[in-house]
Every structure is written in structure tokens, then in C-alpha cells.
Amino acid sequence: MLSDWHSALKRLTLIFLALLLAGWLVGAPALVVLAGTIVYLIYHLRQLRRLYNWLRDNQNSEPSPPPEGRGIWGFIFDGIYLLQRRERDALTHLRSIIDKAQESTGALEMAVVMISSKNGLEWWNPAASRLLGFQSPKDRNQPVTNLVREPQFITYYNTGHFNSPLKLSSPVNPTLMLEFQITSFGEGERLMLVRDISQLHRLEMMRKDFVGNVSHELRTPITVITGYLETMLDDRQNIPPRWGRPLEQMYQQSQRMEHIIRDLLTLSQLETRSASKQLSAVQLQSLLRDIKQDAEQISQAKKQIFKLDCDPDLYIRGNINELYSAISNLAINAAKYTQPGGSIELSAVRNANGLRITVSDNGPGIDAHHIPRLTERFYRVDESRSTDTGGTGLGLAIVKHVLARHGGFLDISSKVGKGSQFSCQLPADRVLTAEQATARAKTD
Ligand code: ADP
């Protein structure tokens, strides 16, 4: 390449020297050099025109071989041709990758939707048309929230928190239950994956109904059995002595069953009933005071020390019965599992994320590896300890559900031999001051 350039320069110098010599011989060097320069320019202009014509003809078609050229022009023609071929090959490769990606997503059962940074639909596969009713090309660049209009979806989409998926029925076929999962990528673009979970949803509903129905059906027979056992035990003097102990054990077990059924029914109601829209402003201090009194009553014989620390100005927007059930579960657990004479504290503080209600104790504590599993149904750290205290293994599952229905979560920290803290974290939009609570009561 460099040699092409050097030989072109060398040739040019030789031509000019020859022209000068010829001009000197005929006695008109300037004229001869001028004539030579004009011929040289005409040659290069012709080459430029060939290049121009070739590029123009190639603009919209497959690159044709370049015109024949010698020296530096030959190198330029071949070089441009090579670059054109390379670009065309790269483009073909890219197109085949895009075709393959579109073909494979097209065959997916799952809807795949690409959303631009301006929230308009950019691309979607056939499953998206089937599950969400998107029509091509009519809906291209339409805002996604104009096409999936469910308020739940709009809130989910606008908040931008996509840690957990959203379950919603299909906007075109209400019998289909869909799961929406969104991820952000690039510069504000989003990828939305939508899965048909109707079958799973039906099974889940069947499971919930089954647990609810079985618990409901078992409640009456167990109440009758417990009632008869209680009456028999009240009339102990007329029972043969060898029946005394078995009857007591039967009574204890039937009571345990009653508690399990009660907790299963509570859980089933929390799962199947949607969260109430009619929420009241609950004064936290009086709620915690009632719970403290109940727990004190239960643990009377253990002589435990109960403390309460809560600002009387704190109010919470929520379902009072559900909140009572959740926090009293924590307080009763603390009383149940803490040794006689131990101390238990109920407190509530505002923090950066909203409100934190904590039940702490100086009881036996829980080993770290149990903590992530504590809210699972029937999970117990120590089977014997839990059955001794009449536990059902469902209390913390109820707490978790109630908090989720209030937009919050349960945070557990514990040290073996030192004690445990069970904290209910609730979002800021649930917290009210006394003034806000009074204003709310007036408008309600
Ligand atoms: P249970 O009805 O058995 O108390 P929960 O779901 O309320 O069921 O609690 C699950 C398990 O967590 C209990 O079996 C117990 O081992 C443990 N646990 C709960 N609270 C405490 C506490 N304050 N201190 C120690 N262990 C606790």
C-alpha cells in the first residue's frame, strides 16, 4: 500500500522531470509542463468519475466488482470493494441472528414484549397477541398502559419495582390467569414476559378451598368432642379412676386440634378474601396495651415482666382485627417461649421506611438456620417445646400474611441464649398522626 503510494509519487516526479526536459528542448518549458499537468488532471478526473459511477450503481444493490484500475486507483477501488463486502457480510450475519431470535421467541408459549424508553410497544411475539390482544401494526408505539388498562397493572408498571411478579387475568380472556414479569435494560427500555398460569392458579385455588372446607367441616365435630370431654372431666368423681388420665389426654389433644383448625381457617380466610378497602385508623398504643394485657393474662403463672413503649400520637391505617391477631401472635409466642421471670417488650417507632412494631424477649432465642423457615406452615424449631406450649406451627404464617396484606413484612432477629426480636415493618403510607386520624374519622 505504502509502496503503491511511493511508486505513484516517483512516477509523478519522473513525468514532471521529463516534461521539463522536453520543454527545455523545444524552448517552452512552462507551456509543456502546463499541458502535461492538464493531461494528468484529466486522467485523475476520469478515475474519480469511474469511482463515482461505481459507488452510485452499488448503492441499493449487491456490490458488483469494482472497475479495473491501476496503481493507486486500483488499490482504492479494491479497498472500497473489500469494505463493502465486509459490511454486507456483517449485516447478513446480524439479520440471521435477529431472524433466529424472532423465530424462537415466536415459537414460545410465553408472551415476550419489548417496550421503548417512552413506554411504547416496540416488538412482541404472537403469544403476546393471543394473551394480551396486541395487534400489529396498529398497536406499535402505543403506550403499554393504554392496552393493559387494569389499575393494578398500571400501578405495578409505574412504580418500577419489579422484584416480584404480578398476577392478573388476561385483558382479552378473563378466564386466563397471567403472571407478568418485567425487567429493565438498555437506556430505560423494558422487557415484559407474560406467562399463562391458569392451570397453576386453578390448582392453588383448589388447594385453598380444600383446606378451608376441611377445616370448616372438622370444626363442629371437634367442638362437640371437646365439649363432651370437658363435661365428663367436670364430673370426675363418677368416672372410673383408670379413665381419668386417658380422658385428660383426649381433652388436651382435641383442644389442640381445635386450635389448629381455628388457625387454618384464619389462614384460609387471609388467603382467599381480598384485603378490605374499608380500613380504620387504629391507635397503636391502645392496640398494643390490649395485646400486652392478653399476653400477661396467659403468662400469669410465669411471672414475666411486660413493658410497652409507644407514642400515643401514632396511628395506623389497617384492619384492626388482622393487626390484633398478628401482633398478639408474636406477644403470645414471646410469653410462651420465654422462661418464667423473663421480660417481654412491645414497642413501636417510626423509621425511614414507615413504622416498625417490635416484640422482643430475653427467652431461649432461635438458631440462625431456622429463621428463614419460621413463617412456613407447621415449621417448628423444637417439636417438643412447641407441643408442650400448645403451639400449632401456624402463628407466624398468619403474621406474615397479615403484614403482606398491609404492604409490610416480618423481620426476625435472634441470638440463642439471649432472646428474639420479631419486627413488623409497615410502609409509610399506613402511618398517621393523631390529627390525620381525626381528620380521617370526620371524612369517614
Ligand atoms: P407455634 O404455634 O408452634 O408457636 P409459630 O408459627 O408461632 O408456631 O412459631 C414457629 C416456631 O418459632 C415455634 O414453634 C417456636 O419454635 C419458634 N418461636 C416463635 N416465637 C419464638 C420466640 N419468641 N422465642 C423462641 N422461639 C420462638
Side-chain angles (χ1 to χ4, degrees), residues 349-356 425-428:
V349 281
R350 282 187 98 140
N351 62 6
N353 300 323
L355 177 78
R356 201 168 173 85
Q425 179 65 51
L426 290 155

Side-chain angles (χ1 to χ4, degrees), residues 293-333:
Q293 276 167 5
D294 278 1
E296 272 173 332
Q297 193 80 29
I298 291 169
S299 81
Q300 231 170 14
K302 288 172 94 177
K303 306 240 175 320
Q304 289 162 328
I305 301 149
F306 282 81
K307 277 189 240 160
L308 171 60
D309 181 12
C310 178
D311 183 347
D313 196 30
L314 267 183
Y315 283 73
I316 179 163
R317 202 165 51 85
N319 180 315
I320 186 160
N321 294 331
E322 290 183 10
L323 289 170
Y324 190 96
S325 142
I327 305 166
S328 78
N329 253 312
L330 298 179
I332 292 169
N333 270 357

Side-chain angles (χ1 to χ4, degrees), residues 252-253 256 260 336-337 380 382-393:
Q252 268 172 15
Q253 292 304 325
R256 224 185 122 221
I260 293 178
K336 265 189 332 193
Y337 297 110
R380 293 165 180 124
D382 177 345
E383 188 73 30
S384 61
R385 194 203 289 170
S386 184
T387 26
D388 286 352
T389 51
T392 62

